[in-house]
Structure formats: C-alpha cells, structure tokens
Amino acid sequence: MKWKFYWREALNNLWLSKLRSILAIIGILVGSAAVVTLVSIGEMAKYKALSEFKTLGMNLASLVVNQNMDFNAGIDLTRTLIPDYNYAQSMLTLATKVANIQEVAPVATLSLPAYYAGKKLEAPIIATTYSYQTLANLQIQEGRFLHRLDRNNYFCVVGSDIANQLKNNGSNSIIGKELQLGNAYFTVIGSIKPWIGNAFISNNVNGSVFISLAAAHNFAPNLYIDTTLLQLKPDSDPDQIETDVKNFLAAKFPGLEVTVKTGKQLIVSMTHQKNVFTWMLGLIGGIALLVGGIGIMNVMLVSVTERRREIGIRLAIGARRADIQIMFLCEAIILATIGGVTGIIISLFITRIVAEFLTWEFMFSGSAVLIGFFVSLFTGIFFGIYPAYQASKLNPIDVLRAE
Amino acid sequence: MTNTVLSCDKVCKIFDDGASKVHVLNNIQLSVNAGETLAIVGASGSGKSTLLHLIGGLDRPTSGQIEIMGKPLATLNDRELSRLRNAHLGFVYQFHHLLPEFTVLENVCLPLLIRGEPIETVQKAATEILEQVGLGKRLSHKIGEISGGERQRTAIARALVTRPQCLLADEPTGNLDQHTAHHVFDLLLKLNRELGTSLIIVTHDLQLASRLSRTFELQDGILV
C-alpha cells in the first residue's frame, strides 16, 4: 500500500517540476541510447565479419613452413627445407593421404615483372592450382579459371583490377590477350569478378595474375611455396587434421616444422577481438551514461534544496527519514527508467539507420538492451542515493523556522 | 480517572555553540490531561517554540524526561518517534506550512498517506475533517487560491485528520487579523470539545490565552 503511495508521490513531484525532470531524463536517455547503439553496432560488425568468414573460411586451413631464421646468418639452409615445387607436389597428395581433406592448393607468389602491350603492370603473380578457385570462392567474370588439364600450359587468369587495366588499353574482351611475365608470354583465359576478401586468404586477388604451379615451375624453378590452403570436409575436426598433416609431413620431410592455422582458431580469435571492440564501444557509451547520472544527481540536489520546507513538514507530521529517502530514490528511479527506456527506443531507430546505411544485417542485441536498461537504472539509483540521503538528514526545526 | 496525555519532568534544554551555553529551558514540569486546553505565553525568544519542539519529539532535551501517552520519548528511536508523532500529535504553526503545489484535500490527506492507509479511507477522513473546519467546498482548491484564515483552518484540519490525542499549536493565529484569529480560536475550541483533543497553544495574545483552561508563562526558561 505504502509503495503505491511512494510511486504516486514521486510521479506527482516529477510532474510538478516538468522541465527539471525532462532535463534529467535527457541526460540518461543520451547515455542509454549511446550504450545500446554502440554495443548493437559492435555486435552487428562482429556478426557481419563472422558471417562472411563463416561462409568462406569455416572449413579452411592454411599450412606454412616455419623457417629457422637467424638474423645474423639468414636462413640456415642445412637445417631448413625450402618448400619448393617438390614439396608442393607432396602437398598435393594430402587430399588422398589424410582423411577429411577435400582440396589442396599450394600457393607461391612470384615477384617477376609483368607487362601488357609493353606497359608494366603492378601485379603480383600467384602460382597455384585449380583448387584455389573453390578454396577462395572465386567467381568468374569472363572465360574460366585454371583447370587441372592446363598443367604447364602458359595460361593465366587475372583479377578484376588487372582486367580493368587490360580493358582500358583497348577492346572489351580480355580473353586471348598476351601478358609478359618475366621472360615468358602467357595467354589470358579468364578474369575473376571483384573479390570481397576473406580473412583467411591474404592474397590481393583483385590485383593479381594467376598461373598454374606447373607452368611457374618451368620458367621460375626456384619458386617458394608461401602457404598451402586446405579445404576440410564439413564437420571435420580441425585439431585431428592438424595432427594428421603434421605426422604425414614428419614422415616425408624429417625435421620440417609447420604451422597449421584453421578457420575455427581464427574465428575464436576474431570473436575475441570483436568482443573487445564491442566492449570498448559500450564503455564509451557508459561514459555518456555516467554524465547522465551526474545530471540526475544535480537535478535531485536542486530539488532537495527547493523542497526543504516540504521535507521538513513531512518529517514533522510523522514521515520517517527512510520515507523521505525512498521518496527521492523513487523519483531517481522513475527518471532513470523513463530515460533508459526512451534511450533504448531511440537507439533502435539509430541502429536501424546505421544498418541500412552500411548495408549490414539489422540486429538489435538483446544483451545490449538489458545492459542499457539495467545500467541506466543502476546509474539512477547510484546517483539518487546521495541527494536522498541529504534530504533525509534535514532538521525539520531548522526548515520550519526559516519561513 | 485522570488520563495523562503528556508530561514533562525536569526538562532542560541548553544550546551549546562551543563558545557559550544558553539555558533556554530550565526544569520544566508540565502535565496535560486528555481534553485539557492550555496556553503557553511569553516574550519572543523565551523558549516557547523550543518547548513545543521538544514535546513534539522534533528535538531532544538536554536533560529531563518527556512522556507522551506514557511513552518516554528518550527511549524511542527515530522510526518510533516518527510513528508516535504521526499517531498521537498534531502540529499547527504560525505559518501554515502547507504545500502550495497540492490541493487543500491533498494537503490534509498527507499525514494519513504517510501512515500508509488506503486512499479511499484517507480521502473520506480528510473530507470529513475539512467539512468540520468549514472548508467542505474548498477541497480541490490549491493553497494559493484560498485566504489566510482558510489556510490556517486547512493546517488545523491536517493536524487533526489523524485524530491525535494532543494538538501542538505554535502561534496559530499570529499571522491573522483579530477577527479571523478569534474565528480560528473558536474552531480550535470547538474541535477540542467535539474530538476531545488536548490543546497546547503557544501565543502572544493574552486575551486568546484566557479562553483556555490553563495558562503558563515562560520566564527565563522557567514555566510559571
């Protein structure tokens, strides 16, 4: 019964000083909207990054040969195996030798000058196998990608940026054009659609020229396999595969040390990274909320000073000090709740607009709403306690005398 | 059977500001029975209001004992004191001390609401007492919309709505013209008869004081 009275009184008092109440609410509203919006944006960014990666990279793994680098002596050739063409050939048998590996694509980057019609192209040359298309999920714009049967034919496929450069120099179709890579001439057999990227693959696909490993080996015998991309069967255990691959290589190349990175590991680290990002955004919002809380305290302290007489009368006619504290706390809670909820509603719109603008999938994080609401409420209570305490400490005699 | 509502036994109050001590009240002996009316007169600064605050439990004596309805105030904690004040005592001040943002009815409801009674009961009791003080038609007026006499009558209604055993009035007519002052005094005496509430009225006005059953004077902190 008494609680109904407290809330009614508090609402009544807030209504009587509308402007002050609205100012306090705006403080909390901005803070709560900031927290919820920023956390939601963080969550959307995380979801966007992860979902892209999950569709492209969940079943990927990469394998890199560790080099025992001594900065004084350079690479110790007596101790380290150079991942060359023979190594690449061994890697290609992985799909048949190790369970749950579907595709293998050794990748070597050649730093040879590339020319088209006598003009230099700024394009790294990527020597790999036809499997690269599946692994990197490349879409063909024109012609085709490398094929198993191309073997050591001097064919090349170009990324979208290179394709555009070739087009700028003349005709619409680039199929059949000749590129000079090093000392050899390659025929363009296809181009790739603009590639959006994949956290797993570091190659700049759009700006590269692709040739087959066998052809590369012919004119650049000392090629170096930077990395080997593996596609794992869905739902396979990446840890088991990592062990199997290492065992296979240990038997084949004793002393060889490799690092295997799997998509799952990367997702874990990406999730962690993005969570840190989200928390940081939340923290920034939290600072806004803190300012809002100080606003509430300010407004409540003014209210206590203005209502000294009322407090004195209430105490004189039998209100307990606790009643006075509760009355002011109720007011703070009401302000914080209205501010918090309004802030959440506003942040719903802002998040929606941001998602629309960035063409992200709209997501309104439930945890952000809960955090926003409870942090607002907590802020209201926390910053309402001191003014409420001040109010309850007033001496009714002093107040009633000072008419 | 005498029914003591309030008693003071050797009550002293000393204000000590560190540098000097002011003996405001000395050895006050006082006993008030149910339905009794008494006036406390004295010069300004003689300690009349202080005595009233002590009796009302708003302040504590330096020494001596005050009992209300047989309960020594010194033994009560803040919470019990508030409850006792709410249940057994009513206050009327020289300044009405009504809350201007509330209506007449709401102001009178306040003590019962603080007690936690249901709103219907509270409004009924408040309306009844307001009719008794002749403000039955002013219920929904804001304090700013009624006259000085009506404000003081509202304050009296607020003090009496809890049906206290004792009403403490600190110069209740001090701000009113003579005619209105007599009118308010008549009302207090009428309510004293109707409700049986004891009255302790602090006043400057000896003529008004003479209308009460007993009159005390505070001189140099002593009640004579």
Side-chain angles (χ1 to χ4, degrees), chain B residues 12-40:
Chain B
C12 293
K13 181 70 184 177
I14 301 167
F15 286 115
D16 187 353
D17 65 356
S20 61
K21 286 183 178 176
V22 182
H23 292 258
V24 180
L25 298 172
N26 272 322
N27 271 326
I28 302 290
Q29 292 288 138
L30 183 69
S31 176
V32 181
N33 292 332
E36 206 178 357
T37 59
L38 68 95
I40 297 170

PDB file of all heavy atoms in Angstrom, chain B residues 12-40:
ATOM      1  N   CYS B  12      15.224  20.185  30.688  1.00  0.00           N
ATOM      2  CA  CYS B  12      16.146  21.301  30.446  1.00  0.00           C
ATOM      3  C   CYS B  12      16.602  21.264  28.996  1.00  0.00           C
ATOM      4  O   CYS B  12      16.746  20.179  28.409  1.00  0.00           O
ATOM      5  CB  CYS B  12      17.400  21.176  31.318  1.00  0.00           C
ATOM      6  SG  CYS B  12      17.047  21.362  33.056  1.00  0.00           S
ATOM      7  N   LYS B  13      16.824  22.436  28.435  1.00  0.00           N
ATOM      8  CA  LYS B  13      17.406  22.490  27.092  1.00  0.00           C
ATOM      9  C   LYS B  13      18.486  23.550  27.072  1.00  0.00           C
ATOM     10  O   LYS B  13      18.239  24.717  27.405  1.00  0.00           O
ATOM     11  CB  LYS B  13      16.317  22.804  26.050  1.00  0.00           C
ATOM     12  CG  LYS B  13      16.842  22.848  24.619  1.00  0.00           C
ATOM     13  CD  LYS B  13      17.233  21.483  24.133  1.00  0.00           C
ATOM     14  CE  LYS B  13      17.854  21.540  22.742  1.00  0.00           C
ATOM     15  NZ  LYS B  13      18.311  20.226  22.291  1.00  0.00           N
ATOM     16  N   ILE B  14      19.671  23.117  26.742  1.00  0.00           N
ATOM     17  CA  ILE B  14      20.796  24.057  26.670  1.00  0.00           C
ATOM     18  C   ILE B  14      21.313  24.047  25.243  1.00  0.00           C
ATOM     19  O   ILE B  14      21.563  22.974  24.670  1.00  0.00           O
ATOM     20  CB  ILE B  14      21.924  23.615  27.637  1.00  0.00           C
ATOM     21  CG1 ILE B  14      21.393  23.567  29.073  1.00  0.00           C
ATOM     22  CG2 ILE B  14      23.125  24.554  27.523  1.00  0.00           C
ATOM     23  CD1 ILE B  14      22.313  22.857  30.045  1.00  0.00           C
ATOM     24  N   PHE B  15      21.407  25.233  24.635  1.00  0.00           N
ATOM     25  CA  PHE B  15      22.028  25.315  23.309  1.00  0.00           C
ATOM     26  C   PHE B  15      23.494  25.647  23.505  1.00  0.00           C
ATOM     27  O   PHE B  15      23.831  26.650  24.122  1.00  0.00           O
ATOM     28  CB  PHE B  15      21.345  26.380  22.441  1.00  0.00           C
ATOM     29  CG  PHE B  15      19.998  25.935  21.939  1.00  0.00           C
ATOM     30  CD1 PHE B  15      18.843  26.576  22.347  1.00  0.00           C
ATOM     31  CD2 PHE B  15      19.898  24.845  21.080  1.00  0.00           C
ATOM     32  CE1 PHE B  15      17.597  26.153  21.891  1.00  0.00           C
ATOM     33  CE2 PHE B  15      18.662  24.432  20.618  1.00  0.00           C
ATOM     34  CZ  PHE B  15      17.514  25.089  21.023  1.00  0.00           C
ATOM     35  N   ASP B  16      24.334  24.780  23.000  1.00  0.00           N
ATOM     36  CA  ASP B  16      25.774  24.940  23.207  1.00  0.00           C
ATOM     37  C   ASP B  16      26.432  25.113  21.847  1.00  0.00           C
ATOM     38  O   ASP B  16      26.475  24.192  21.039  1.00  0.00           O
ATOM     39  CB  ASP B  16      26.299  23.665  23.907  1.00  0.00           C
ATOM     40  CG  ASP B  16      27.758  23.814  24.312  1.00  0.00           C
ATOM     41  OD1 ASP B  16      28.359  24.840  23.932  1.00  0.00           O
ATOM     42  OD2 ASP B  16      28.273  22.906  24.984  1.00  0.00           O
ATOM     43  N   ASP B  17      26.912  26.308  21.583  1.00  0.00           N
ATOM     44  CA  ASP B  17      27.554  26.522  20.279  1.00  0.00           C
ATOM     45  C   ASP B  17      29.075  26.465  20.405  1.00  0.00           C
ATOM     46  O   ASP B  17      29.804  26.966  19.566  1.00  0.00           O
ATOM     47  CB  ASP B  17      27.105  27.844  19.639  1.00  0.00           C
ATOM     48  CG  ASP B  17      27.545  29.060  20.442  1.00  0.00           C
ATOM     49  OD1 ASP B  17      28.129  28.858  21.532  1.00  0.00           O
ATOM     50  OD2 ASP B  17      27.317  30.199  19.987  1.00  0.00           O
ATOM     51  N   GLY B  18      29.562  25.890  21.507  1.00  0.00           N
ATOM     52  CA  GLY B  18      31.002  25.747  21.692  1.00  0.00           C
ATOM     53  C   GLY B  18      31.550  26.888  22.531  1.00  0.00           C
ATOM     54  O   GLY B  18      32.217  26.666  23.539  1.00  0.00           O
ATOM     55  N   ALA B  19      31.240  28.118  22.140  1.00  0.00           N
ATOM     56  CA  ALA B  19      31.778  29.285  22.851  1.00  0.00           C
ATOM     57  C   ALA B  19      30.945  29.607  24.098  1.00  0.00           C
ATOM     58  O   ALA B  19      31.483  29.943  25.144  1.00  0.00           O
ATOM     59  CB  ALA B  19      31.816  30.491  21.927  1.00  0.00           C
ATOM     60  N   SER B  20      29.628  29.480  23.928  1.00  0.00           N
ATOM     61  CA  SER B  20      28.786  29.830  25.092  1.00  0.00           C
ATOM     62  C   SER B  20      27.614  28.867  25.177  1.00  0.00           C
ATOM     63  O   SER B  20      27.244  28.236  24.186  1.00  0.00           O
ATOM     64  CB  SER B  20      28.260  31.255  24.928  1.00  0.00           C
ATOM     65  OG  SER B  20      27.469  31.332  23.767  1.00  0.00           O
ATOM     66  N   LYS B  21      27.076  28.786  26.399  1.00  0.00           N
ATOM     67  CA  LYS B  21      25.924  27.918  26.612  1.00  0.00           C
ATOM     68  C   LYS B  21      24.712  28.764  26.926  1.00  0.00           C
ATOM     69  O   LYS B  21      24.781  29.665  27.763  1.00  0.00           O
ATOM     70  CB  LYS B  21      26.192  26.960  27.772  1.00  0.00           C
ATOM     71  CG  LYS B  21      27.170  25.845  27.411  1.00  0.00           C
ATOM     72  CD  LYS B  21      27.348  24.897  28.571  1.00  0.00           C
ATOM     73  CE  LYS B  21      28.300  23.785  28.149  1.00  0.00           C
ATOM     74  NZ  LYS B  21      28.584  22.877  29.248  1.00  0.00           N
ATOM     75  N   VAL B  22      23.602  28.479  26.234  1.00  0.00           N
ATOM     76  CA  VAL B  22      22.384  29.234  26.508  1.00  0.00           C
ATOM     77  C   VAL B  22      21.369  28.278  27.135  1.00  0.00           C
ATOM     78  O   VAL B  22      20.995  27.280  26.521  1.00  0.00           O
ATOM     79  CB  VAL B  22      21.805  29.844  25.211  1.00  0.00           C
ATOM     80  CG1 VAL B  22      20.561  30.656  25.516  1.00  0.00           C
ATOM     81  CG2 VAL B  22      22.858  30.693  24.512  1.00  0.00           C
ATOM     82  N   HIS B  23      20.967  28.586  28.376  1.00  0.00           N
ATOM     83  CA  HIS B  23      19.949  27.755  29.041  1.00  0.00           C
ATOM     84  C   HIS B  23      18.587  28.250  28.598  1.00  0.00           C
ATOM     85  O   HIS B  23      18.095  29.257  29.081  1.00  0.00           O
ATOM     86  CB  HIS B  23      20.099  27.858  30.563  1.00  0.00           C
ATOM     87  CG  HIS B  23      21.359  27.214  31.049  1.00  0.00           C
ATOM     88  ND1 HIS B  23      21.370  25.977  31.643  1.00  0.00           N
ATOM     89  CD2 HIS B  23      22.646  27.621  30.993  1.00  0.00           C
ATOM     90  CE1 HIS B  23      22.627  25.662  31.940  1.00  0.00           C
ATOM     91  NE2 HIS B  23      23.428  26.645  31.557  1.00  0.00           N
ATOM     92  N   VAL B  24      17.983  27.562  27.672  1.00  0.00           N
ATOM     93  CA  VAL B  24      16.700  28.016  27.132  1.00  0.00           C
ATOM     94  C   VAL B  24      15.547  27.555  28.029  1.00  0.00           C
ATOM     95  O   VAL B  24      14.642  28.318  28.341  1.00  0.00           O
ATOM     96  CB  VAL B  24      16.507  27.505  25.691  1.00  0.00           C
ATOM     97  CG1 VAL B  24      15.176  27.986  25.132  1.00  0.00           C
ATOM     98  CG2 VAL B  24      17.645  27.995  24.815  1.00  0.00           C
ATOM     99  N   LEU B  25      15.608  26.312  28.455  1.00  0.00           N
ATOM    100  CA  LEU B  25      14.539  25.791  29.311  1.00  0.00           C
ATOM    101  C   LEU B  25      15.165  25.190  30.572  1.00  0.00           C
ATOM    102  O   LEU B  25      16.169  24.481  30.497  1.00  0.00           O
ATOM    103  CB  LEU B  25      13.736  24.712  28.581  1.00  0.00           C
ATOM    104  CG  LEU B  25      12.996  25.156  27.312  1.00  0.00           C
ATOM    105  CD1 LEU B  25      12.404  23.949  26.601  1.00  0.00           C
ATOM    106  CD2 LEU B  25      11.891  26.163  27.639  1.00  0.00           C
ATOM    107  N   ASN B  26      14.545  25.512  31.723  1.00  0.00           N
ATOM    108  CA  ASN B  26      15.082  25.024  32.995  1.00  0.00           C
ATOM    109  C   ASN B  26      14.009  24.295  33.779  1.00  0.00           C
ATOM    110  O   ASN B  26      12.978  24.876  34.100  1.00  0.00           O
ATOM    111  CB  ASN B  26      15.565  26.197  33.858  1.00  0.00           C
ATOM    112  CG  ASN B  26      17.006  26.552  33.555  1.00  0.00           C
ATOM    113  OD1 ASN B  26      17.823  25.652  33.320  1.00  0.00           O
ATOM    114  ND2 ASN B  26      17.298  27.834  33.532  1.00  0.00           N
ATOM    115  N   ASN B  27      14.262  23.052  34.094  1.00  0.00           N
ATOM    116  CA  ASN B  27      13.367  22.312  34.998  1.00  0.00           C
ATOM    117  C   ASN B  27      11.886  22.456  34.682  1.00  0.00           C
ATOM    118  O   ASN B  27      11.092  22.839  35.542  1.00  0.00           O
ATOM    119  CB  ASN B  27      13.602  22.754  36.440  1.00  0.00           C
ATOM    120  CG  ASN B  27      14.677  21.902  37.078  1.00  0.00           C
ATOM    121  OD1 ASN B  27      14.772  20.702  36.760  1.00  0.00           O
ATOM    122  ND2 ASN B  27      15.483  22.505  37.929  1.00  0.00           N
ATOM    123  N   ILE B  28      11.514  22.213  33.486  1.00  0.00           N
ATOM    124  CA  ILE B  28      10.105  22.356  33.108  1.00  0.00           C
ATOM    125  C   ILE B  28       9.306  21.171  33.650  1.00  0.00           C
ATOM    126  O   ILE B  28       9.640  20.013  33.402  1.00  0.00           O
ATOM    127  CB  ILE B  28       9.951  22.424  31.578  1.00  0.00           C
ATOM    128  CG1 ILE B  28      10.756  23.585  30.976  1.00  0.00           C
ATOM    129  CG2 ILE B  28       8.487  22.491  31.156  1.00  0.00           C
ATOM    130  CD1 ILE B  28      10.238  24.951  31.279  1.00  0.00           C
ATOM    131  N   GLN B  29       8.284  21.496  34.416  1.00  0.00           N
ATOM    132  CA  GLN B  29       7.357  20.461  34.914  1.00  0.00           C
ATOM    133  C   GLN B  29       5.998  20.754  34.270  1.00  0.00           C
ATOM    134  O   GLN B  29       5.480  21.848  34.396  1.00  0.00           O
ATOM    135  CB  GLN B  29       7.218  20.558  36.435  1.00  0.00           C
ATOM    136  CG  GLN B  29       8.460  20.200  37.216  1.00  0.00           C
ATOM    137  CD  GLN B  29       8.737  18.700  37.191  1.00  0.00           C
ATOM    138  OE1 GLN B  29       9.862  18.273  37.035  1.00  0.00           O
ATOM    139  NE2 GLN B  29       7.668  17.894  37.319  1.00  0.00           N
ATOM    140  N   LEU B  30       5.436  19.759  33.626  1.00  0.00           N
ATOM    141  CA  LEU B  30       4.160  20.021  32.947  1.00  0.00           C
ATOM    142  C   LEU B  30       3.429  18.713  32.765  1.00  0.00           C
ATOM    143  O   LEU B  30       4.043  17.668  32.502  1.00  0.00           O
ATOM    144  CB  LEU B  30       4.439  20.660  31.582  1.00  0.00           C
ATOM    145  CG  LEU B  30       3.246  21.080  30.733  1.00  0.00           C
ATOM    146  CD1 LEU B  30       2.537  22.268  31.389  1.00  0.00           C
ATOM    147  CD2 LEU B  30       3.713  21.483  29.329  1.00  0.00           C
ATOM    148  N   SER B  31       2.133  18.762  32.944  1.00  0.00           N
ATOM    149  CA  SER B  31       1.348  17.557  32.714  1.00  0.00           C
ATOM    150  C   SER B  31       0.037  17.968  32.047  1.00  0.00           C
ATOM    151  O   SER B  31      -0.604  18.913  32.473  1.00  0.00           O
ATOM    152  CB  SER B  31       1.092  16.871  34.052  1.00  0.00           C
ATOM    153  OG  SER B  31       0.253  15.764  33.858  1.00  0.00           O
ATOM    154  N   VAL B  32      -0.337  17.291  31.014  1.00  0.00           N
ATOM    155  CA  VAL B  32      -1.557  17.655  30.286  1.00  0.00           C
ATOM    156  C   VAL B  32      -2.464  16.440  30.227  1.00  0.00           C
ATOM    157  O   VAL B  32      -2.034  15.351  29.831  1.00  0.00           O
ATOM    158  CB  VAL B  32      -1.225  18.126  28.856  1.00  0.00           C
ATOM    159  CG1 VAL B  32      -2.484  18.533  28.109  1.00  0.00           C
ATOM    160  CG2 VAL B  32      -0.227  19.282  28.886  1.00  0.00           C
ATOM    161  N   ASN B  33      -3.700  16.645  30.636  1.00  0.00           N
ATOM    162  CA  ASN B  33      -4.652  15.530  30.611  1.00  0.00           C
ATOM    163  C   ASN B  33      -5.458  15.535  29.320  1.00  0.00           C
ATOM    164  O   ASN B  33      -5.496  16.534  28.604  1.00  0.00           O
ATOM    165  CB  ASN B  33      -5.605  15.639  31.812  1.00  0.00           C
ATOM    166  CG  ASN B  33      -4.861  15.390  33.109  1.00  0.00           C
ATOM    167  OD1 ASN B  33      -3.855  14.663  33.123  1.00  0.00           O
ATOM    168  ND2 ASN B  33      -5.337  15.996  34.180  1.00  0.00           N
ATOM    169  N   ALA B  34      -6.114  14.440  29.081  1.00  0.00           N
ATOM    170  CA  ALA B  34      -6.921  14.309  27.869  1.00  0.00           C
ATOM    171  C   ALA B  34      -7.993  15.389  27.846  1.00  0.00           C
ATOM    172  O   ALA B  34      -8.666  15.628  28.855  1.00  0.00           O
ATOM    173  CB  ALA B  34      -7.545  12.932  27.810  1.00  0.00           C
ATOM    174  N   GLY B  35      -8.137  16.039  26.727  1.00  0.00           N
ATOM    175  CA  GLY B  35      -9.184  17.038  26.549  1.00  0.00           C
ATOM    176  C   GLY B  35      -8.864  18.375  27.174  1.00  0.00           C
ATOM    177  O   GLY B  35      -9.624  19.334  27.053  1.00  0.00           O
ATOM    178  N   GLU B  36      -7.745  18.494  27.847  1.00  0.00           N
ATOM    179  CA  GLU B  36      -7.384  19.741  28.512  1.00  0.00           C
ATOM    180  C   GLU B  36      -6.872  20.765  27.490  1.00  0.00           C
ATOM    181  O   GLU B  36      -6.303  20.381  26.465  1.00  0.00           O
ATOM    182  CB  GLU B  36      -6.285  19.452  29.538  1.00  0.00           C
ATOM    183  CG  GLU B  36      -6.253  20.443  30.676  1.00  0.00           C
ATOM    184  CD  GLU B  36      -5.162  20.082  31.691  1.00  0.00           C
ATOM    185  OE1 GLU B  36      -4.488  19.055  31.543  1.00  0.00           O
ATOM    186  OE2 GLU B  36      -4.993  20.868  32.617  1.00  0.00           O
ATOM    187  N   THR B  37      -7.068  22.051  27.805  1.00  0.00           N
ATOM    188  CA  THR B  37      -6.509  23.067  26.901  1.00  0.00           C
ATOM    189  C   THR B  37      -5.587  23.946  27.718  1.00  0.00           C
ATOM    190  O   THR B  37      -5.926  24.355  28.819  1.00  0.00           O
ATOM    191  CB  THR B  37      -7.614  23.956  26.300  1.00  0.00           C
ATOM    192  OG1 THR B  37      -8.320  24.594  27.359  1.00  0.00           O
ATOM    193  CG2 THR B  37      -8.593  23.155  25.470  1.00  0.00           C
ATOM    194  N   LEU B  38      -4.411  24.196  27.195  1.00  0.00           N
ATOM    195  CA  LEU B  38      -3.550  25.114  27.927  1.00  0.00           C
ATOM    196  C   LEU B  38      -2.775  26.036  27.000  1.00  0.00           C
ATOM    197  O   LEU B  38      -2.466  25.677  25.868  1.00  0.00           O
ATOM    198  CB  LEU B  38      -2.646  24.378  28.910  1.00  0.00           C
ATOM    199  CG  LEU B  38      -1.548  23.471  28.423  1.00  0.00           C
ATOM    200  CD1 LEU B  38      -0.266  24.253  28.372  1.00  0.00           C
ATOM    201  CD2 LEU B  38      -1.407  22.311  29.384  1.00  0.00           C
ATOM    202  N   ALA B  39      -2.500  27.212  27.533  1.00  0.00           N
ATOM    203  CA  ALA B  39      -1.789  28.219  26.741  1.00  0.00           C
ATOM    204  C   ALA B  39      -0.417  28.423  27.344  1.00  0.00           C
ATOM    205  O   ALA B  39      -0.244  28.356  28.549  1.00  0.00           O
ATOM    206  CB  ALA B  39      -2.562  29.537  26.767  1.00  0.00           C
ATOM    207  N   ILE B  40       0.577  28.589  26.490  1.00  0.00           N
ATOM    208  CA  ILE B  40       1.910  28.962  26.952  1.00  0.00           C
ATOM    209  C   ILE B  40       2.204  30.335  26.362  1.00  0.00           C
ATOM    210  O   ILE B  40       2.173  30.501  25.140  1.00  0.00           O
ATOM    211  CB  ILE B  40       2.964  27.936  26.502  1.00  0.00           C
ATOM    212  CG1 ILE B  40       2.660  26.579  27.136  1.00  0.00           C
ATOM    213  CG2 ILE B  40       4.364  28.407  26.880  1.00  0.00           C
ATOM    214  CD1 ILE B  40       3.483  25.447  26.585  1.00  0.00           C
TER     215      ILE B  40
END
